[in-house]
């Protein structure tokens, strides 16, 4: 026995088509909202700046130091200001000022919980932030001026500072040096196989350091990559990246 269905009017067909198209989209939107994550705005920094460093301290707060500021004369200047951001309170508080005005410096959390600030803004000095009393100590000079360089904590507790721009020489550098936290000194180590600033570096699981990319002579983004071996204080070239890049990041993945 054949059943007969009532023919749909054009209006009914149009409504059915609209619902067919919209309902899946609404379901997707609801599912997306349910699992979505977003950004919220907390209290702003006390000192507006850029090219500053941000270092997570052992207690979970963040040290924000130095950077470039827009002063009352309408010019760009370095700052020695530092503040501590509390992620629980969602707000910053001022802490002790650095001894030197800096921008584009290196910042490295040491094994004892202090923070080493190196170079930046045409300066070869370094200093250490002590979270215990909010002061800056151990003001010592590096062997070369450098900014927009890399500064990496090694497994032996020393810090490798490599590459960057030497403001005094007006050129990029391939030089590298090591900071020894025990005697508070910098000593030169072998130079990188290539010259660059605004490069990226990451400590690998075997204790070596991968350095990659960067800018050369202010106009070339390089694909170079190299490995630093702390045990022998030597470098070796490795296969370059597929694309030249500068001002990028390098992140160690879970698989090494």
């Amino acid at each position: 026995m054949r059943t007969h269905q009532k023919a749909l009017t054009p209006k009914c067909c149009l409504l059915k088509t609209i619902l067919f198209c919209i309902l899946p989209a609404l379901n997707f939107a609801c599912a997306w909202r349910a699992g979505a994550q977003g950004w919220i705005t907390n209290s702003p920094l006390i000192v507006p700046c850029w090219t500053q460093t941000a270092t997570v301290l052992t207690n979970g707060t963040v040290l924000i130091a130095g950077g470039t500021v827009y002063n009352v004369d309408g010019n760009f200047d370095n700052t020695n200001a530092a503040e501590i951001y509390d992620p629980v309170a969602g707000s910053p508080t001022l802490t002790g000022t650095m001894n030197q005005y800096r921008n584009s410096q290196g910042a490295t959390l040491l094994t004892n919980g202090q923070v080493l600030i190196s170079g930046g803004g045409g300066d070869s000095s370094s200093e250490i932030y002590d979270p215990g009393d909010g002061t800056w100590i151990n003001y010592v000079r590096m062997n070369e001026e450098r900014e927009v360089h890399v500064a990496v904590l090694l497994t032996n507790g020393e810090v490798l500072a490599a590459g960057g721009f030497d403001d005094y020489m007006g050129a990029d550098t391939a030089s590298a040096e090591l900071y020894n936290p025990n005697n508070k000194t910098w000593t030169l180590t072998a130079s990188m196989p290539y010259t660059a600033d605004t490069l990226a570096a990451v400590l690998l699981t075997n204790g070596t350091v991968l350095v990659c990319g960067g800018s050369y002579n202010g106009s070339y983004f390089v694909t170079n990559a190299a490995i630093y071996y702390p045990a022998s204080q030597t470098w070796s070239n490795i296969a370059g990246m597929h694309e030249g890049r500068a001002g990028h990041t390098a992140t160690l993945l879970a698989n090494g």
Side-chain angles (χ1 to χ4, degrees):
M1 179 177 174
R2 177 179 294 181
T3 59
H4 297 276
Q5 292 182 339
K6 184 179 179 180
L8 295 176
T9 64
K11 183 181 292 186
C12 289
C13 290
L14 177 61
L15 179 60
K16 193 173 183 178
T17 302
I18 292 174
L19 290 175
F20 179 80
C21 294
I22 290 179
L23 286 178
L26 289 176
N27 290 333
F28 173 79
C30 292
W32 178 85
R33 285 181 177 275
Q37 296 182 354
W39 294 85
I40 59 174
T41 301
N42 289 338
S43 301
L45 295 179
I46 299 171
V47 180
C49 58
W50 72 97
T51 68
Q52 74 276 18
T53 54
T55 309
V56 179
L57 305 180
T58 53
N59 64 358
T61 61
V62 182
L63 170 68
I64 299 167
T68 305
V69 296
Y70 191 65
N71 65 22
V72 294
D73 298 325
N75 297 317
F76 298 130
D77 279 332
N78 299 338
T79 182
N80 66 345
E83 45 194 291
I84 298 292
Y85 176 77
D86 184 346
V88 176
S91 60
T93 57
L94 288 174
T95 187
T97 56
M98 294 187 294
N99 295 287
Q100 183 67 34
Y101 293 76
R102 309 175 188 275
N103 81 81
S104 305
Q105 67 273 12
T108 312
L109 182 68
L110 303 178
T111 54
N112 63 1
Q114 296 178 336
V115 179
L116 171 69
I117 298 291
S118 57
D123 192 74
S124 64
S125 69
S126 69
E127 51 190 304
I128 286 179
Y129 178 75
D130 185 356
D133 57 11
T135 60
W136 295 86
I137 57 178
N138 300 331
Y139 184 86
V140 295
R141 294 276 178 189
M142 295 191 293
N143 291 279
E144 184 172 358
E145 286 188 4
R146 63 185 79 238
E147 58 184 291
V148 288
H149 55 292
V150 292
V152 181
L153 180 69
L154 305 179
T155 54
N156 62 2
E158 295 184 339
V159 176
L160 170 70
F165 181 78
D166 185 331
D167 196 51
Y168 177 77
M169 298 296 294
D172 293 326
T173 181
S175 74
E177 48 192 301
L178 295 169
Y179 177 78
N180 187 323
N182 295 321
N183 55 26
K184 315 295 190 297
T185 58
W186 290 92
T187 57
L188 288 171
T189 186
S191 295
M192 297 192 306
Y194 71 99
T195 301
D197 65 57
T198 60
L199 54 169
V202 63
L203 181 70
L204 303 180
T205 53
N206 62 1
T208 63
V209 179
L210 167 67
V211 175
C212 58
S215 172
Y216 175 67
N217 200 26
S219 56
Y220 301 100
F221 294 160
V222 301
T223 60
N224 300 64
I227 296 289
Y228 178 75
Y229 301 90
S232 59
Q233 294 193 17
T234 58
W235 295 84
S236 68
N237 283 308
I238 60 173
M241 297 186 294
H242 295 283
E243 185 173 349
R245 64 188 76 233
H248 55 295
T249 59
T251 306
L252 183 66
L253 303 180
N255 63 2

